[in-house]
Amino acid sequence: MDLLNTLVEKGLRRELPTREEALAVLATSDDDLLEVVAAAGKVRRQWFGRRVKLNYLVNLKSGLCPEDCSYCSQRLGSTAEILKYTWLKPDEASKAAAAGVAGGAKRVCLVASGRGPTDRDVDRVSQTIEAIKEQNEDVEICACLGLLSDGQAERLRAAGADAYNHNLNTSEGTYADITTTHTYADRVDTVRRAQSAGLSACSGLIAGMGESDADLVDVVFSLRELDPDSVPVNFLIPFEGTPLAKEWNLTPQRCLRILAMTRFVCPDVEVRLSGGREVHLRSMQPLALHLVNSIFLGDYLTSEGQEGRADLEMIADAGFEVEGADTTTLPEHRRDGCGPCGGDESRESAPAEPVTDNGAPRTDLVAVRRRGAGTDLAPNA
């Protein structure tokens, strides 16, 4: 297929595809799916070999968020029956993080619900970072605390944070349909604050919220321009009790096409398979490893994930290897500060039609987290 040959050549040169080419990937048929995966896999292997980086989430503060993000089970007005608790103490968070590190995680992601941290919250998280690094000196720490104010990114960096996550989530044109309590520009500003402070930027998207192909391309192109080091790709988990509970728009095949498009647009970036993979990719998760070079181990913030042992078995069975702590994730040219290049062309696309298995959404696969941080039960790692 000429399209795929062109995209592979561009990916190996780190050249930006055109919007038309990115949209064409999303429009490929299921008959062509394995060819799409194989092509994007060549780009993935060029920059990351067969390594898979493991990341582990620790939810420092769960629920009761004042923001109204429609996709989130922790949002204002959510009736999802999730765990709700206030800040974990540093030793509690360190213990939770240790479980992930013992399971093979190279990065621990510290997340707290809310619009953004107060200065006291930054102090609290700084103490947590120090407690974790005392026990695991080589572990990477990524903080995800919401919108940052002046000086907060610098303080997190000084405390030992390596990265900061703040996702764009969806296209600028549709952002106000998903969230009204802050803006798309607020999110971009926080990512730039993190970068300016010397933190490795982590910013991604959520697919499956009713967006069009054009929206998906828009947000991935925006991420390419923003140039984070890692791009998490989440697939909406339609929690009962949230406004998007009925949005079941994804098939395993569509998820793979979205991941492939992301890899072609962001060829040399850590693309992370994130929340919702078990719900939407299901038995086709191993194929996604040919597209991404990073996954979350075990559970997520408010939902349960695949068993940690099953994650490790999946990686080994698919012929990949867990990335060690002594290996640098990013290619050398990215570590030297070389950013993206390329142009942009525009084309619109019709919204994707909702699809389900045999006409019924797999609501049975949405499992609320009941173990790990905030509970007395052992974590999944």
Side-chain angles (χ1 to χ4, degrees):
M1 187 185 296
D2 289 343
L3 168 68
L4 297 179
N5 290 335
T6 298
L7 288 169
V8 170
E9 291 173 2
K10 287 187 173 183
L12 300 183
R13 297 194 302 263
R14 298 186 295 116
E15 182 180 337
L16 182 67
T18 65
R19 284 180 53 84
E20 183 177 20
E21 289 165 342
L23 286 163
V25 173
L26 297 178
T28 53
S29 71
D30 288 350
D31 289 342
D32 295 326
L33 182 62
L34 290 182
E35 293 181 53
V36 172
V37 172
K42 292 180 181 178
V43 178
R44 180 250 199 264
R45 289 191 300 278
Q46 165 71 19
W47 301 114
F48 300 98
R50 303 190 73 84
R51 293 177 284 115
V52 178
K53 181 177 180 178
L54 297 182
N55 309 267
Y56 191 69
L57 283 166
V58 177
N59 195 351
L60 297 177
K61 180 168 72 78
S62 183
L64 308 175
C65 182
E67 302 298 285
D68 68 353
C69 307
S70 299
Y71 51 82
C72 186
S73 59
Q74 304 183 78
R75 74 185 297 273
L76 178 69
S78 169
T79 58
E81 297 181 354
I82 61 168
L83 292 170
K84 297 181 177 68
Y85 52 86
T86 190
W87 289 93
L88 296 181
K89 296 178 180 178
D91 62 329
E92 294 172 326
S94 180
K95 183 178 179 180
V101 174
K106 182 175 178 177
R107 171 174 288 191
V108 171
C109 304
L110 302 176
V111 188
S113 62
R115 178 179 177 84
T118 64
D119 287 341
R120 182 181 178 186
D121 293 335
V122 173
D123 288 340
R124 195 190 322 258
V125 175
S126 296
Q127 293 168 13
T128 298
I129 293 170
E130 292 166 1
I132 293 172
K133 292 222 169 185
E134 281 181 6
Q135 300 298 318
N136 303 279
E137 183 179 356
D138 295 329
V139 72
E140 297 176 9
I141 301 291
C142 180
C144 178
L145 311 174
L147 301 172
L148 293 175
S149 302
D150 289 346
Q152 291 183 329
E154 288 78 6
R155 291 172 59 197
L156 290 168
R157 184 75 183 99
D162 301 283
Y164 196 84
N165 166 262
H166 201 61
N167 295 330
L168 297 187
N169 289 328
T170 192
S171 68
E172 183 174 12
T174 59
Y175 195 84
D177 297 332
I178 299 298
T179 304
T180 67
T181 48
H182 59 265
T183 67
Y184 180 91
D186 291 332
R187 288 189 168 266
V188 171
D189 176 69
T190 283
V191 176
R192 288 179 173 155
R193 286 176 183 269
Q195 290 171 318
S196 296
L199 291 166
S200 175
C202 173
S203 188
L205 65 142
I206 303 173
M209 298 190 290
E211 70 281 336
S212 68
D213 285 3
D215 291 322
L216 287 169
V217 170
D218 280 348
V219 68
V220 176
F221 270 54
S222 293
L223 288 165
R224 166 80 181 225
E225 182 178 359
L226 196 55
D227 196 27
D229 291 324
S230 54
V231 175
V233 180
N234 297 275
F235 300 108
L236 176 71
I237 302 177
F239 277 97
E240 289 297 329
T242 64
L244 299 184
K246 306 305 179 186
E247 292 286 346
W248 289 84
N249 303 312
L250 298 170
T251 62
Q253 293 82 3
R254 179 160 175 78
C255 291
L256 290 171
R257 284 191 284 268
I258 291 168
L259 292 170
M261 183 270 288
T262 304
R263 173 57 72 195
F264 286 130
V265 176
C266 303
D268 58 342
V269 168
E270 177 189 342
V271 177
R272 185 179 308 140
L273 181 57
S274 301
R277 64 177 165 98
E278 299 89 345
V279 177
H280 297 292
L281 278 164
R282 302 189 287 278
S283 62
M284 294 180 74
Q285 289 182 71
L287 274 180
L289 296 178
H290 293 273
L291 308 170
V292 305
N293 62 295
S294 181
I295 68 170
F296 279 109
L297 175 73
D299 293 334
Y300 303 97
L301 297 177
T302 62
S303 65
E304 292 189 353
Q306 184 167 276
E307 290 294 334
R309 180 179 299 178
D311 287 335
L312 298 177
E313 290 175 350
M314 176 181 72
I315 291 168
D317 289 348
F320 292 86
E321 60 184 21
V322 174
E323 182 175 292
D326 57 347
T327 302
T328 302
T329 301
L330 295 174
E332 185 175 356
H333 65 267
R334 286 199 63 84
R335 303 199 296 274
D336 291 341
C338 176
C341 54
D344 183 16
E345 296 181 6
S346 298
R347 187 183 114 186
E348 291 302 311
S349 175
E353 292 295 323
V355 284
T356 59
D357 290 348
N358 299 320
R362 290 298 305 274
T363 56
D364 59 303
L365 294 178
V366 179
V368 173
R369 180 173 68 84
R370 300 295 183 199
R371 58 194 175 193
T375 77
D376 295 326
L377 299 178
N380 173 24

